[in-house]
Amino acid sequence: MTIDLIHGLVTAAATEAPDRAAVIGADGTSISFAQFDVEIRRAAAWVAARSRPGDRIAVIADNSPDYARLYYAVPRSGRILTLINQRLSAAEQLAALGMVEPALLLGDRRYLDDL
């Protein structure tokens, strides 16, 4: 199987080892590759419905299952993933967002609320 884009890694793993854990949350809850692939497709459709191909989608979040979904879903949707460092100050994040001009800003509420 040829893998052209990063989300293809999850799709390939969902085919080859669907029940294997793809993501394990901080609470120990795991998500299988098959379920993770479904969730990525769903998130990609959500992003696609709210943006245009080639748009930048900014994400400010800590490492988590939600972050991982967006990491694969945004490219799957045909959009450009732009990761904004959550350790920057709100002013620095706003400056980065001003340069990027994302169509959507997604992430953890605690970072988004500060903006």
Side-chain angles (χ1 to χ4, degrees), residues 41-58 70 73-74 77-79 101-106:
R41 289 173 193 270
R42 190 176 302 130
W46 187 92
V47 168
R50 289 160 178 80
S51 59
R52 296 185 316 260
D55 276 350
R56 290 179 185 92
I57 309 301
L70 291 172
V74 171
S77 71
R79 280 55 173 177
E101 298 180 350
L104 291 174
L105 172 59
L106 306 171

Coordinates of all heavy atoms in Angstrom, one line a residue, residues 41-58 70 73-74 77-79 101-106:
R41 N -12.1 10.8 9.8 CA -13.0 11.1 8.6 C -14.1 12.1 9.0 O -14.4 13.0 8.3 CB -13.6 9.8 8.0 CG -12.6 9.0 7.3 CD -13.2 7.6 7.0 NE -12.2 6.7 6.6 CZ -11.7 6.5 5.3 NH1 -12.2 7.2 4.3 NH2 -10.8 5.6 5.0
R42 N -14.7 11.8 10.1 CA -15.8 12.7 10.6 C -15.3 14.1 10.9 O -16.0 15.1 10.5 CB -16.4 12.1 11.9 CG -17.7 12.8 12.3 CD -18.3 12.1 13.6 NE -18.6 10.7 13.3 CZ -18.2 9.7 14.1 NH1 -17.5 9.9 15.2 NH2 -18.5 8.4 13.7
A43 N -14.2 14.3 11.5 CA -13.6 15.6 11.8 C -13.2 16.3 10.5 O -13.4 17.5 10.4 CB -12.4 15.5 12.7
A44 N -12.7 15.5 9.5 CA -12.3 16.1 8.3 C -13.5 16.6 7.5 O -13.5 17.7 6.9 CB -11.6 15.1 7.4
A45 N -14.6 15.9 7.6 CA -15.9 16.4 7.0 C -16.4 17.7 7.7 O -16.8 18.6 7.0 CB -16.9 15.3 7.0
W46 N -16.2 17.7 9.0 CA -16.6 18.9 9.7 C -15.8 20.1 9.3 O -16.3 21.2 9.0 CB -16.5 18.7 11.2 CG -17.0 19.8 12.1 CD1 -18.3 19.8 12.6 CD2 -16.3 20.9 12.5 NE1 -18.4 21.0 13.4 CE2 -17.2 21.7 13.3 CE3 -15.0 21.4 12.3 CZ2 -16.8 22.9 13.9 CZ3 -14.6 22.6 12.9 CH2 -15.5 23.3 13.7
V47 N -14.5 19.9 9.2 CA -13.6 21.0 8.8 C -13.9 21.4 7.3 O -14.0 22.6 7.0 CB -12.1 20.6 8.9 CG1 -11.2 21.6 8.2 CG2 -11.7 20.4 10.4
A48 N -14.1 20.4 6.5 CA -14.4 20.7 5.0 C -15.7 21.5 4.9 O -15.8 22.4 4.0 CB -14.5 19.4 4.3
A49 N -16.7 21.3 5.7 CA -18.0 22.0 5.6 C -17.9 23.4 6.1 O -18.7 24.2 5.8 CB -19.0 21.2 6.5
R50 N -16.8 23.8 6.7 CA -16.6 25.1 7.3 C -15.5 25.9 6.7 O -15.1 27.0 7.2 CB -16.5 25.0 8.8 CG -17.7 24.6 9.5 CD -17.5 24.0 10.9 NE -18.8 23.7 11.5 CZ -19.5 22.6 11.3 NH1 -19.1 21.7 10.4 NH2 -20.6 22.4 11.9
S51 N -14.9 25.4 5.6 CA -13.7 26.0 5.0 C -13.6 25.6 3.6 O -14.4 24.8 3.1 CB -12.5 25.7 5.8 OG -12.3 24.3 5.8
R52 N -12.7 26.2 2.9 CA -12.4 25.8 1.5 C -11.1 25.1 1.3 O -10.2 25.3 2.1 CB -12.4 27.1 0.6 CG -13.7 27.9 0.6 CD -13.7 29.1 -0.3 NE -12.4 29.9 -0.1 CZ -12.3 31.0 0.6 NH1 -13.3 31.5 1.3 NH2 -11.1 31.6 0.6
P53 N -11.0 24.3 0.2 CA -9.7 23.6 0.0 C -8.6 24.6 0.0 O -8.7 25.7 -0.6 CB -9.9 23.0 -1.4 CG -11.4 22.7 -1.5 CD -12.0 23.9 -0.8
G54 N -7.5 24.2 0.6 CA -6.3 25.1 0.7 C -6.3 26.1 1.8 O -5.3 26.7 2.0
D55 N -7.4 26.3 2.5 CA -7.5 27.2 3.6 C -6.5 26.7 4.7 O -6.3 25.5 4.9 CB -8.9 27.2 4.2 CG -9.8 28.2 3.5 OD1 -9.4 29.0 2.7 OD2 -11.0 28.2 3.9
R56 N -6.0 27.6 5.5 CA -5.3 27.3 6.7 C -6.2 27.1 7.9 O -7.1 27.9 8.1 CB -4.3 28.4 7.0 CG -3.2 28.5 5.9 CD -2.2 29.7 6.3 NE -1.2 29.8 5.3 CZ -1.4 30.7 4.2 NH1 -2.5 31.4 4.1 NH2 -0.4 30.7 3.3
I57 N -5.9 26.1 8.6 CA -6.7 25.8 9.8 C -5.7 25.8 11.0 O -4.8 25.0 11.0 CB -7.4 24.4 9.7 CG1 -8.2 24.3 8.4 CG2 -8.3 24.2 11.0 CD1 -9.3 25.3 8.2
A58 N -5.9 26.7 11.9 CA -4.9 26.8 13.0 C -5.4 26.0 14.2 O -6.6 25.9 14.5 CB -4.8 28.3 13.4
L70 N -7.4 16.2 15.0 CA -7.2 17.3 14.2 C -5.9 17.3 13.3 O -5.9 17.7 12.2 CB -7.2 18.6 15.0 CG -8.5 19.0 15.6 CD1 -8.4 20.2 16.6 CD2 -9.5 19.3 14.5
A73 N -7.0 15.0 10.6 CA -8.2 15.4 9.9 C -8.0 16.6 9.0 O -8.6 16.6 7.9 CB -9.3 15.6 10.9
V74 N -7.3 17.6 9.5 CA -7.1 18.8 8.7 C -6.5 18.5 7.3 O -7.1 18.8 6.3 CB -6.4 19.9 9.5 CG1 -6.1 21.1 8.6 CG2 -7.2 20.4 10.7
S77 N -8.9 16.8 5.0 CA -9.9 17.6 4.5 C -9.4 18.5 3.3 O -10.2 19.2 2.7 CB -10.5 18.5 5.6 OG -9.5 19.5 5.9
G78 N -8.1 18.4 3.0 CA -7.6 19.2 1.9 C -7.2 20.6 2.4 O -7.0 21.5 1.5
R79 N -7.1 20.8 3.7 CA -6.7 22.1 4.2 C -5.3 22.0 4.8 O -4.7 21.0 4.9 CB -7.7 22.5 5.3 CG -9.0 23.1 4.9 CD -9.8 22.2 3.9 NE -11.1 22.7 3.6 CZ -11.9 22.1 2.7 NH1 -11.5 21.0 2.1 NH2 -13.1 22.5 2.5
E101 N -3.4 34.0 9.1 CA -4.8 34.3 8.6 C -5.6 33.0 8.4 O -6.0 32.7 7.3 CB -4.8 35.1 7.4 CG -4.1 36.5 7.6 CD -4.1 37.4 6.4 OE1 -4.4 36.9 5.2 OE2 -3.8 38.5 6.5
P102 N -5.8 32.2 9.4 CA -6.5 30.9 9.3 C -8.0 31.2 9.0 O -8.6 32.1 9.5 CB -6.3 30.2 10.6 CG -6.2 31.4 11.6 CD -5.4 32.4 10.8
A103 N -8.6 30.2 8.3 CA -10.1 30.2 8.1 C -10.8 29.8 9.3 O -11.9 30.2 9.6 CB -10.4 29.3 6.9
L104 N -10.1 28.9 10.1 CA -10.7 28.4 11.3 C -9.6 28.3 12.4 O -8.4 28.1 12.1 CB -11.2 27.0 11.2 CG -12.5 26.7 10.3 CD1 -12.7 25.2 10.2 CD2 -13.7 27.4 11.0
L105 N -10.0 28.6 13.6 CA -9.1 28.4 14.8 C -9.7 27.4 15.7 O -10.9 27.6 16.1 CB -8.9 29.7 15.5 CG -8.2 29.7 16.8 CD1 -6.7 29.1 16.6 CD2 -8.1 31.1 17.5
L106 N -9.0 26.3 15.9 CA -9.6 25.2 16.7 C -8.6 24.9 17.9 O -7.4 25.2 17.7 CB -9.8 23.9 15.9 CG -10.6 24.1 14.6 CD1 -10.5 22.9 13.8 CD2 -12.0 24.4 15.0

